[in-house]
Amino acid sequence: PAADWAGWPIRDSRSLVCGPVNSASGPDPTPAMPDGLRAAAVAARGFMPTEEGDALWVAALEATAAVPGSPLLEIGSYCGKSSIWLGAAARHAGVVLFALDHHRGSEENQAGWEWHEPDLVDPEIGRMDTLPRFRRTVFDAGLEGSVVALVGDSPTVGPFWGTSLALLFIDGGHGSEPAHRDYELWTPKVASGGTLCIHDVFPDPADGGRPPFEIYQRALADGFEERRAVGSLRVLTAAR
């Protein structure tokens, strides 16, 4: 229930605190993300603001405490930036992060779009290929034992996935069809009391595309309870 999380505050993006507030002793501190891993995440290629990445670390620690032994899964890994924050939390909890991406880039990453990066195009086939960069990012961070790459399309993998998730992070295609499809396919796999994170949620249409905001609204209507908002990241709890 939402009340379970009401006393889990965030102080700032570097020294995050999450723990039930105890009037006698104050908040219980969240384990700090190891400096080397955090530095690797901040330096990694990608579009995740540091404040939101730090919030992912906290959300993942909360998720693994609420649903111990269950894995994390992110949709949309790109070059592995968010995978470091989540993978570090998975390693801390003794579970794994499954990083799902076809590595051909979302619509907005293609040639002619705002977020296209030409050096990530495979010159032999003329298509985006972020998998080599992702693998190097995870290797350099020392997280190969905690981050498992799932190379495939979300609607191909989703119907065959049967494991309950402590945390689901939706940050894949931001068009209407892929965003709503990811929501419909994967949110039923979040364990009771588990965590749903959605990236690039902008209430004001002038700030960004609508589909992530739309699926965030769907989540609220479906009974997920908002735990916190950090930048464009929304952290929600699945009903128990």
Side-chain angles (χ1 to χ4, degrees):
D4 290 349
W5 302 99
W8 293 64
I10 290 183
R11 280 195 308 210
D12 58 58
S13 68
R14 184 60 190 99
S15 56
L16 292 163
V17 170
C18 73
V21 173
N22 182 306
S23 58
S25 60
D28 297 327
T30 294
M33 186 174 181
D35 288 340
L37 280 173
R38 186 174 185 274
V42 171
R45 189 168 185 168
F47 309 108
M48 175 65 63
T50 298
E51 179 185 32
E52 296 173 24
D54 288 338
L56 277 181
W57 158 262
V58 172
L61 290 182
E62 293 171 345
T64 55
V67 191
S70 292
L72 321 177
L73 187 142
E74 68 173 350
I75 303 172
S77 305
Y78 199 58
C79 294
K81 190 175 182 74
S82 60
S83 308
I84 300 179
W85 272 291
L86 292 172
R91 186 173 75 178
H92 179 83
V95 296
V96 298
L97 165 70
F98 291 100
L100 174 60
D101 200 310
H102 50 56
H103 290 284
R104 296 300 186 197
S106 300
E107 182 181 47
E108 61 271 16
N109 302 130
Q110 305 307 314
W113 288 72
E114 180 181 4
W115 301 107
H116 180 59
E117 298 186 281
D119 64 310
L120 295 176
V121 175
D122 183 332
E124 295 187 7
I125 64 173
R127 296 187 64 188
M128 294 279 293
D129 187 0
T130 58
L131 181 59
R133 176 72 64 168
F134 168 86
R135 294 197 66 183
R136 182 58 186 267
T137 298
V138 173
F139 173 82
D140 287 347
L143 289 172
E144 286 191 311
S146 302
V147 178
V148 178
L150 295 179
V151 183
D153 196 27
S154 170
T156 301
V157 177
F160 297 97
W161 185 271
T163 302
S164 293
L165 301 170
L167 179 144
L168 171 67
F169 177 40
I170 299 180
D171 192 23
H174 286 22
S176 182
E177 181 180 354
H180 284 273
R181 182 180 59 210
D182 287 343
Y183 177 84
E184 292 163 5
L185 272 174
W186 290 95
T187 55
K189 305 175 193 301
V190 179
S192 173
T195 296
L196 170 64
C197 296
I198 305 173
H199 195 222
D200 292 327
V201 173
F202 298 107
D204 185 345
D207 294 331
R210 303 308 288 157
F213 178 71
E214 291 168 359
I215 65 172
Y216 157 70
Q217 290 190 308
R218 287 185 68 177
L220 294 176
D222 288 342
F224 286 89
E225 298 191 28
E226 185 163 341
R227 204 148 84 228
R228 70 179 60 93
V230 179
S232 72
L233 180 72
R234 297 296 182 270
V235 181
L236 304 102
T237 306
R240 295 183 182 274

